[in-house]
Amino acid sequence: MFGKKLQQSTALNSPEAVRKSQAVYDRMASGKCKDAKAELDATHGRKSKR
């Protein structure tokens, strides 16, 4: 509508993306995750800007 872009199907609030993020969060909470940003980027198919 009126200049607003439609959300892409890869939105971070889709059920599948939330499920993937929750798995990374569970690893963070348990202390098994060394680099949360890198794992989240990899999980959602993004490239890190580091």
Side-chain angles (χ1 to χ4, degrees):
M1 290 178 99
F2 304 115
K4 290 185 178 181
K5 292 182 179 180
L6 294 174
Q7 285 185 338
Q8 295 178 351
S9 62
T10 58
L12 295 177
N13 60 353
S14 71
E16 181 180 343
V18 170
R19 194 169 29 258
K20 290 177 181 179
S21 295
Q22 185 63 46
V24 175
Y25 177 79
D26 291 342
R27 286 179 42 77
M28 290 170 23
S30 69
K32 295 178 182 176
C33 179
K34 300 293 182 191
D35 187 351
K37 182 179 181 333
E39 286 201 30
L40 285 168
D41 285 344
T43 297
H44 295 292
R46 294 198 230 163
K47 295 186 180 196
S48 182
K49 294 182 180 180
R50 290 185 185 178

